Amino acid sequence: MAKPAQGAKYRGSVRDFPNFDPSQDAETLYNAMKGFGGDKEAILELITSRSNRQRQEICQNYKSLYGKDLIADLKYELTGKFERLIVGLMRPPAYGDAKEIKDAISGIGTDEKCLIEILASRTNEQIHQLVAAYKDAYERDLEADITGDTSGHFRKMLVVLLQGTREEDDVVSEDLVQQDVQDLYEAGELKWGTDEAQFIYILGNRSKQHLRLVFDEYLKTTGKPIEASIRGELSGDFEKLMLAVVKCIRSTAEYFAERLFKAMKGLGTRDNTLIRIMVSRSELDMLDIREIFRTKYEKSLYSMIKNDTSGEYKKALLKLCGGDDDAAGQFFPEAAQVAYQMWELSAVARVELKGTVHPAGDFNPDADAKALRKAMKGLGTDEDTIIDIIAHRSNAQRQQIRQTFKSHFGRDLMADLKSELSGDLARLILGLMMPPAHYDAKQLKKAMEGAGTDEKALIEILATRTNAEIQAINEAYKEDYHKSLEDALSSDTSGHFKRILISLATGNREEGGEDRERAREDAQVAAEILEIADTTSGDKSSLETRFMVILCTRSYPHLRRVFQEFVKMTNYDVEHTIKKEMSGDVRDVFVAIVQSVKNKPLFFADKLYKSMKGAGTDEKTLTRIMVSRSEIDLLNIRREFIEKYDKSLHQAIEGDTSGHFLKALLAICGGED
């Protein structure tokens, strides 16, 4: 661990434990792991209140006393996120970084964000320790491994950072500052194409003090911040790395505050990022990170961790955080205030929903039918023509083409497309050709077919469709499969989950506005069932039924008011509370309803993002959402996507799919943002 400079104030949240006795601590941990279950509370309490240096002494004493490896015992005893956090704390910092980088470049795909975060933020000394630790732990050369797993300018900059040779002289030459500003300007803004080597050399080697002055002068000279030039001139992972370097030059603590916020905002928590930062900064600058976090996001890091995590994992993270920066005695904690304001905005916002696929002007079903027949006749198939026609016609127009095709050629267009196309492209094109209700009915049928049920697909469709859409789906299901949707759901699901789905499948949601008095009563029921109310007005079974009725049948405007009253009554956000207090499919369907009420386009943006993130693509979800939302709100979904994930839906599709499937998806997507 890098020590603070001479005379500098210690800004970590974890300090050396006074009256430290490593033998006593080793014995306490040994006893905590004896017997069934283990005392997790004792483990987290001890490990989070010792410095890393002290933890290494405990490890040595544990081995001397019991002949066992403490980290191996902790791994055996603990599980999941809590295990990753505690084991992470037990490693010396450089070995922790080495393990993170090894994991980031092992297996399929590379975790570029992890590489960027570590190599852009560490000091020269920390980099040298990391390189040595990697060699010691894995008997491999870190530079060689990173070189083998990355490419292009991204790789070159990582290699420069790996040298750990950034200048550390605080004496700055004004002439050199001006020269670097000129070189950066000429390498980017003034050049046809970009001279990436200049960006790499200057940003990878100059001292922090020097570069801060360069950034100030660059803004004065060019009229734009260096970040804007990087975004305009560079791209991909190289762009992200250079932006991270600039952020860390400006303020490492602010960089980490932002990373922590992004790890916890929105749907789901990026636990690996959260763990890595909380562990690695706990003895360096956690107090600075907390201070910036509180100022920048108007809530404390402590309150956000508290609302976003659970169990021993939460307790350990809060211990590392070291304190809550929200003002004591506030009637509304920051998190609750933010949630309350969000529902207020949601209640008054009138968003115009827009699709990306519109009726074609000068539509000629006769010409389209002939062009499609020609594209499928003879040897080979002209997929480009098929995509061009079908992806640029509205669903109503596609039905006319289908009818015209049959009248002209005595052939079924769907059958012909099925025999000519295959794989993901076939599923996408055939989905576009079906009337929306019949398409949804088919997706529900497929979700219930064969071994196992695709609960996520059932939830996604039934929790988001309007009454009119649900009624149309019921009719289509009956027509196509000669069985009612309710009967199908009854035979394929069970318990509370079945009751909720059947309730949603009746399409009986109220369509009026809000009723404030009733909203308060409904919020009270929600508080009681989620076990955060002071009093209980009925038995659990009847409360569960009432809660289901509220979420499945109240109108969206009314539910927005219910969720707002819930915040006022409990100081909790209803979505977070459902996630914490419920489990399984029941939790998932209730969360989907709340998210749909809150912001339906964002709900679908999250689903699309998850369908494409990580190794492999969930083509079924991707296709289902692109087809079903293309004429409803796909433009809104696109806007939510780029706002949340800092990249466009177009870019995500481009990076994750290929061939004619990619071309068809981009045509439906309707543009780059």
Side-chain angles (χ1 to χ4, degrees):
M1 186 190 84
K3 291 184 176 69
Q6 195 77 35
K9 199 174 172 189
Y10 182 72
R11 299 295 288 162
S13 55
V14 174
R15 297 170 175 272
D16 281 341
F17 189 73
N19 306 317
F20 171 59
D21 183 343
S23 297
Q24 179 62 52
D25 285 352
E27 188 182 337
T28 301
L29 288 171
Y30 181 76
N31 290 331
M33 291 187 278
K34 269 182 13 185
F36 183 72
D39 186 350
K40 296 182 181 68
E41 190 82 36
I43 293 169
L44 84 86
E45 192 62 40
L46 191 147
I47 289 174
T48 57
S49 57
R50 304 298 185 269
S51 67
N52 192 275
R53 180 187 62 77
Q54 291 174 331
R55 292 181 208 124
Q56 304 319 309
E57 287 189 57
I58 296 168
C59 276
Q60 288 160 11
N61 275 267
Y62 192 89
K63 186 161 268 186
S64 301
L65 288 169
Y66 306 109
K68 301 175 78 172
D69 182 74
L70 176 54
I71 288 182
D73 281 3
L74 287 166
K75 279 183 175 176
Y76 179 80
E77 193 66 37
L78 309 175
T79 58
K81 296 174 283 198
F82 181 54
E83 178 217 321
R84 291 205 303 275
L85 177 60
I86 294 297
V87 169
L89 286 167
M90 294 307 300
R91 293 191 182 98
Y95 285 82
D97 281 351
K99 173 75 166 66
E100 289 292 326
I101 286 187
K102 185 77 169 69
D103 289 348
I105 55 180
S106 296
I108 302 166
T110 305
D111 182 356
E112 291 86 1
K113 286 180 179 171
C114 173
L115 293 182
I116 290 168
E117 180 197 297
I118 292 174
L119 295 179
S121 65
R122 299 317 191 238
T123 64
N124 287 347
E125 186 186 348
Q126 289 167 336
I127 291 284
H128 297 151
Q129 290 169 353
L130 159 62
V131 171
Y134 192 91
K135 186 83 172 172
D136 181 48
Y138 306 111
E139 297 179 349
R140 298 177 66 89
D141 181 69
L142 178 53
E143 184 179 321
D145 281 1
I146 283 180
T147 302
D149 212 66
T150 56
S151 61
H153 298 297
F154 178 55
R155 175 171 63 195
K156 287 175 191 166
M157 184 62 178
L158 289 175
V159 169
V160 167
L161 294 172
L162 264 178
Q163 305 316 300
T165 53
R166 184 177 297 287
E167 295 160 5
E168 293 180 326
D169 190 355
D170 280 342
V171 179
V172 176
S173 157
E174 287 185 25
D175 290 343
L176 188 56
V177 167
Q178 293 299 338
Q179 185 61 54
D180 282 350
V181 168
Q182 194 59 34
D183 288 348
L184 286 171
Y185 190 43
E186 288 174 1
E189 300 287 337
L190 294 181
K191 191 176 174 69
W192 181 255
T194 306
D195 182 0
E196 289 88 352
Q198 281 287 17
F199 279 86
I200 290 170
Y201 178 74
I202 293 170
L203 292 180
N205 289 287
R206 299 286 193 243
S207 74
K208 285 193 168 190
Q209 188 61 30
H210 175 89
L211 283 172
R212 285 178 193 131
L213 292 174
V214 168
F215 299 160
D216 290 345
E217 284 302 315
Y218 190 90
L219 179 61
K220 287 178 197 169
T221 303
T222 68
K224 59 163 66 173
I226 187 72
E227 290 90 340
S229 290
I230 289 171
R231 287 193 184 98
E233 299 298 325
L234 312 180
S235 63
D237 292 322
F238 180 47
E239 174 200 340
K240 288 174 193 156
L241 173 58
M242 298 306 255
L243 287 171
V245 168
V246 170
K247 281 176 186 170
C248 288
I249 297 295
R250 291 192 187 280
S251 167
T252 307
E254 185 167 356
Y255 171 70
F256 282 114
E258 188 179 307
R259 293 277 295 151
L260 284 167
F261 180 74
K262 285 187 172 177
M264 291 182 281
K265 78 164 187 168
L267 250 181
T269 305
R270 295 173 191 140
D271 293 293
N272 285 350
T273 302
L274 180 56
I275 291 167
R276 185 170 58 244
I277 297 172
M278 294 303 290
V279 169
S280 66
R281 310 315 291 186
S282 59
E283 294 183 47
L284 294 174
D285 53 4
M286 185 58 71
L287 299 184
D288 294 325
I289 292 168
R290 272 169 44 184
E291 199 173 278
I292 289 166
F293 195 100
R294 181 69 179 77
T295 306
K296 193 166 182 175
Y297 302 113
E298 298 181 340
K299 66 175 89 177
S300 67
L301 175 59
Y302 188 98
S303 70
M304 198 159 182
I305 291 170
K306 196 174 174 182
N307 289 325
D308 218 64
T309 58
S310 60
E312 282 91 7
Y313 175 54
K314 172 173 83 174
K315 288 177 188 170
L317 286 170
L318 292 177
K319 286 272 289 179
L320 293 180
C321 182
D324 191 354
D325 304 301
D326 278 340
Q330 259 186 310
F331 180 66
F332 271 52
E334 288 292 337
Q337 267 194 339
V338 169
Y340 188 86
Q341 287 158 3
M342 182 275 295
W343 286 118
E344 191 63 52
L345 288 170
S346 175
V348 298
R350 292 288 173 266
V351 179
E352 187 185 354
L353 299 179
K354 289 183 177 179
T356 53
V357 174
H358 309 285
D362 303 322
F363 173 56
N364 185 337
D366 193 56
D368 284 350
K370 285 175 182 169
L372 286 170
R373 176 70 179 137
K374 187 181 175 187
M376 293 186 283
K377 227 173 152 184
L379 197 64
T381 306
D382 181 359
E383 288 94 346
D384 289 329
T385 296
I386 293 170
I387 292 166
D388 199 47
I389 292 172
I390 290 173
H392 294 101
R393 305 293 182 270
S394 68
N395 194 275
Q397 289 176 333
R398 292 181 207 124
Q399 303 318 311
Q400 285 181 255
I401 295 169
R402 207 170 154 181
Q403 189 59 55
T404 305
F405 194 89
K406 183 160 259 183
S407 302
H408 271 313
F409 307 111
R411 302 172 67 90
D412 180 13
L413 176 55
M414 292 287 278
D416 280 6
L417 287 167
K418 209 169 188 177
S419 70
E420 292 294 325
L421 305 175
S422 62
D424 296 325
L425 178 65
R427 279 193 289 274
L428 180 64
I429 294 295
L430 290 167
L432 289 167
M433 288 304 303
M434 294 179 78
H438 290 266
Y439 179 72
D440 277 348
K442 185 175 183 184
Q443 297 308 302
L444 291 168
K445 178 80 163 62
K446 285 170 90 168
M448 294 183 278
E449 265 175 356
T453 304
D454 183 353
E455 290 86 1
K456 285 181 178 159
L458 296 180
I459 290 168
E460 178 204 300
I461 294 169
L462 294 174
T464 60
R465 301 310 191 248
T466 64
N467 285 349
E469 288 166 342
I470 292 283
Q471 298 299 348
I473 291 167
N474 275 292
E475 288 165 19
Y477 200 96
K478 187 84 174 171
E479 183 187 329
D480 294 345
Y481 307 111
H482 311 294
K483 182 179 186 178
S484 76
L485 176 56
E486 185 179 327
D487 287 346
L489 290 167
S490 288
S491 56
D492 208 68
T493 57
S494 60
H496 286 307
F497 184 55
K498 174 174 85 174
R499 290 172 61 210
I500 296 161
L501 290 183
I502 288 172
S503 178
L504 291 170
T506 57
N508 279 332
R509 189 173 292 286
E510 295 162 3
E511 295 187 338
E514 62 181 71
D515 176 335
R516 288 224 174 192
E517 189 52 47
R518 191 184 185 202
R520 280 190 281 275
E521 291 168 13
D522 289 347
Q524 179 65 33
V525 170
E528 289 175 20
I529 196 67
L530 295 170
E531 298 182 351
I532 50 174
D534 296 330
T535 57
T536 302
S537 58
D539 68 278
K540 184 143 186 175
S541 174
S542 89
L543 277 171
E544 282 171 352
T545 302
R546 285 173 69 192
F547 188 56
M548 181 189 80
V549 168
I550 290 164
L551 285 183
C552 295
T553 68
R554 301 289 195 257
S555 72
Y556 273 28
H558 180 81
L559 281 174
R560 287 190 187 104
R561 183 59 65 187
V562 172
F563 300 153
Q564 194 177 11
E565 290 297 328
F566 181 87
V567 173
K568 199 172 185 178
M569 196 176 283
T570 67
N571 286 352
Y572 287 95
D573 178 66
V574 71
E575 182 184 331
H576 280 292
T577 312
I578 290 170
K579 283 177 181 172
K580 280 184 186 171
E581 300 296 332
M582 297 187 156
S583 61
D585 297 326
V586 170
R587 174 199 60 209
D588 293 345
V589 70
F590 281 155
V591 166
I593 293 168
V594 172
Q595 289 172 345
S596 186
V597 170
K598 193 183 282 188
N599 184 338
K600 199 180 283 186
L602 179 58
F603 171 81
F604 284 115
D606 283 327
K607 292 280 177 201
L608 285 171
Y609 177 76
K610 286 182 176 174
S611 76
M612 292 181 279
K613 80 167 190 173
T617 306
D618 178 359
E619 287 89 357
K620 287 180 182 173
T621 300
L622 177 57
T623 299
R624 186 172 60 242
I625 295 173
M626 294 296 286
V627 168
S628 64
R629 309 315 293 182
S630 59
E631 292 183 52
I632 299 171
D633 54 3
L634 191 53
L635 188 62
N636 306 79
I637 292 167
R638 265 171 44 186
R639 287 172 185 156
E640 295 292 347
F641 194 98
I642 195 166
E643 176 69 26
K644 181 161 181 185
Y645 297 111
D646 299 323
K647 68 173 171 181
S648 67
L649 178 57
H650 188 282
Q651 285 172 318
I653 291 169
E654 218 166 25
D656 217 66
T657 60
S658 60
H660 288 105
F661 181 52
L662 163 65
K663 186 177 178 184
L665 285 171
L666 291 182
I668 299 165
C669 182
E672 169 65 285
D673 298 302

